[in-house]
Every structure is written in C-alpha cells, then in structure tokens.
Amino acid sequence: MNQLEALKQVTTVVADTGDFHELARFAPQDATTNPSLILKAVQKSDYAHLLRDNAARWSGRDLAERMDRLIVRFGCETLAHIPGRVSTEVDARLSFDTEAMVTRAERLIELYQAEGVHIERVLIKVASTWEGIEAARRLQGRGVATNMTLLFSFAQAVACAQARVQLISPFVGRIYDWYKARAGSSWDEAAMAASADPGVQSVRRIFDYYKHFGIATEIMGASFRNVGQIRALAGCDLLTIAPALMAELAASEAALPRALDAEAARALQIEHVQLDEARFRYALNEDAMATEKLAEGIRAFAADAVKLEALMQA
C-alpha cells in the first residue's frame, strides 16, 4: 500500500485543482477549486473551449453571472469524475458583505440545480471573515452547506463552529509561509518540520478542540507546501491536496501512521471558548499572522477573479 492509499484509510482525500482531467489518476472522494486554480486551468489548451462556450452561450448576461456560470461549469465537469462533493467559491471581492455573499451563493446553487446537480454534492466556499461566517450561518439554515476558506486562526475556527458550518479549510501552507518569512535566516527547516510545523500545529489545535467538544463541523486541512505536512495530519477529517503532492505520496510505500486521533482529543483538558463579534474581531486582531494572511488571501483571490474576468472579455 502506498502512502496515498494509506492516507485514504484514515482521512478523506480531496483534490485541490481546477484541472479535472487529473482526477482519474488519484481517485479522490471530493474536489475543491478557487479562482486561482480555475484561472490557471482556463489558460491551458485543454480548457480553452470552456471560455469560448461560456462567451457564446451567455454573451448577453452581466459579467458576474457569466463568471458564476463558468465556475459552475468547472464544478459540473469535476463532479463527473468524483463520487463526492465539489467546493465552489463565492467571489472574494464580496468577503465583507454578508447579503451579497448569501445572494451569490444562492445563485451558484440555483445554477448547479439547473444542471441537474443535487445540492448535497456542492459546498459553497466563503471567506472566514465575520461577515462570511454570518453568511454561512444563514446559508446553512437554508440547507446550503458551506466550506469556510482562508481560515488561519483558532478564533475563526471557533466562530465557524458556533455558526454550525459544514466544513472549515485551515490553510496549513500559508501559516507555514508566514512564520518562515518572519524567521528569515534563523528558520530551521528540519526543526520546524512535521508536528513542529506551525501550520500543522494550528490544525491539530482545532482538531482537538472540535473532537473534544463533539463539534460536527468537518475539518479539511488545505494549502500544503510539502508531504511532511500532510503526513503529520493523517487522521484529519479531510485533506485537500494538489495533484503533485498526491503523486509524491503515491510514489512512497513507507508507513503512514495516524497522527490525529479523535478519541485521544476527547480525553484532553480543553477550555470551551465562546465568541461574539467583538471578541472575534479582537482575537483576530491579536493574531498578526491570521490578520495578514486573511487580508492577503482575499486580495489574491480577488485579483485572480479580475484576471479571469479579463480573459472572459478578451
């Protein structure tokens, strides 16, 4: 059994790609996309026809609707290659507008349903701002499952749990990036690897908290920089992994022990946390890494959305 197969024994493996032709190689359960991945995909010759088809079919519609139809098309194509769910992201430029996020999410669901896709096969990705978490709370109440993205802090995870969202995606690699950049030349890669990796530690803390208190929200580690981070989170509910890292796991037959254990988490001594809006905003403000990476992530996804729109109009 290779390490990818071993990982699938303890964790649901999710493909982190907009290139749905790659999915058959690794047989993931679910798949997740974002504007950056779709932007990268549509610039490949294999996917250029999707842009042309979108322009031909929906040329009279406003740009935002055409964007939603394009990403739903990618979602539908992806669902044809996997047995589970696909995550589709609400435009990051709406990350501080609760009403706009709810409206956009509901349109995405309507577009999927018009294509014959059952609502249970779609997760709507929303940025983990306070406004995004409130949007997710409302969507969950209307039967729309949400995937909270751009999550970097324990406070964000607690607020998402309170909102009873379906799933959170803590960004392991981007947390690692921040601490490595801050340390500069003093960073010791070997000493900060695996369980000592700050991104891994962040997910472990969230995992232990959720499992200790019986929180039903799923945890999906995301944004990996190396397979060591993935191995150190074996046993997490889900991990969304880029094809290149899945290939690396598949090439190794070394043992892959479970690293996270829900039963062990239930035996820990952990204090329960309750956050209102003021406490959430203060806690996020106190976490420089999370504050910076959340802002940076929103800017990056928004910039790629603008680039994707430019391609659609070219």
Side-chain angles (χ1 to χ4, degrees), residues 193-197 200 204 227-234 256 259-260:
S195 61
D197 184 301
V200 169
R204 177 181 283 277
V227 293
Q229 294 171 333
I230 297 166
R231 295 180 187 123
L233 291 174
L256 183 69
L260 302 186

Side-chain angles (χ1 to χ4, degrees), residues 154 200-215 219 233 235-237 259-271:
F154 182 70
V200 169
Q201 291 179 341
S202 179
V203 176
R204 177 181 283 277
R205 182 186 182 193
I206 294 166
F207 179 92
D208 287 344
Y209 182 85
Y210 275 25
K211 303 312 175 186
H212 181 82
F213 290 106
I215 294 166
I219 305 165
L233 291 174
C236 193
D237 299 334
L260 302 186
D261 189 300
E263 193 63 35
R266 283 189 277 273
L268 298 174
Q269 295 294 317
I270 299 177
E271 181 181 353

Side-chain angles (χ1 to χ4, degrees), residues 6-269:
L7 181 64
K8 290 179 180 179
Q9 302 299 306
V10 296
T11 290
T12 298
V13 171
V14 180
D16 191 14
T17 181
D19 189 343
F20 49 78
H21 293 316
E22 291 189 291
L23 298 177
R25 291 176 58 200
F26 305 106
Q29 174 68 23
D30 295 350
T32 183
T33 65
N34 60 46
S36 302
L37 294 173
I38 293 177
L39 176 65
K40 185 184 297 184
V42 298
Q43 295 179 80
K44 297 180 179 180
S45 58
D46 287 352
Y47 299 98
H49 70 281
L50 295 179
L51 276 176
R52 294 194 298 269
D53 291 350
N54 183 272
R57 289 188 67 186
W58 311 112
S59 60
R61 308 299 176 91
D62 68 72
L63 190 55
E65 181 183 340
R66 286 161 53 200
M67 171 80 86
D68 286 348
R69 288 185 179 277
L70 179 65
I71 62 176
V72 167
R73 174 72 181 278
F74 266 87
C76 291
E77 295 283 357
T78 298
L79 286 170
H81 294 81
I82 59 172
R85 306 169 295 186
V86 67
S87 292
T88 296
E89 192 156 338
V90 170
D91 193 325
R93 290 169 290 184
L94 306 178
S95 295
F96 299 100
D97 187 334
T98 297
E99 295 297 335
M101 282 185 278
V102 170
T103 299
R104 199 69 170 266
E106 290 179 333
R107 181 165 72 185
L108 289 169
I109 290 296
E110 289 170 1
L111 292 175
Y112 271 113
Q113 291 177 319
E115 296 295 326
V117 175
H118 195 282
I119 190 173
E120 290 181 355
R121 297 198 69 195
V122 179
L123 293 171
I124 296 297
K125 289 177 79 172
V126 182
S128 299
T129 58
W130 178 261
E131 294 80 3
I133 295 168
E134 179 57 29
R137 185 197 306 276
R138 296 188 196 179
L139 290 166
Q140 292 284 162
R142 300 175 190 183
V144 176
T146 53
N147 170 355
M148 304 308 295
T149 189
L150 294 174
L151 192 146
F152 303 97
S153 74
F154 182 70
Q156 288 172 297
V158 168
C160 287
Q162 291 175 188
R164 299 186 178 183
V165 306
Q166 181 68 35
L167 181 148
I168 62 169
S169 294
F171 276 33
V172 178
R174 298 194 192 192
I175 294 173
Y176 160 90
D177 292 344
W178 190 88
Y179 282 99
K180 183 176 181 178
R182 189 181 192 192
S185 61
S186 67
W187 179 263
D188 185 335
E189 191 68 40
M192 301 302 290
S195 61
D197 184 301
V200 169
Q201 291 179 341
S202 179
V203 176
R204 177 181 283 277
R205 182 186 182 193
I206 294 166
F207 179 92
D208 287 344
Y209 182 85
Y210 275 25
K211 303 312 175 186
H212 181 82
F213 290 106
I215 294 166
T217 296
E218 300 169 64
I219 305 165
M220 181 169 72
S223 173
F224 293 106
R225 297 295 179 258
N226 56 69
V227 293
Q229 294 171 333
I230 297 166
R231 295 180 187 123
L233 291 174
C236 193
D237 299 334
L238 309 94
L239 297 175
T240 181
I241 307 170
L245 293 177
M246 283 197 277
E248 192 172 339
L249 289 167
S252 173
E253 294 187 359
L256 183 69
R258 178 190 287 270
L260 302 186
D261 189 300
E263 193 63 35
R266 283 189 277 273
L268 298 174
Q269 295 294 317

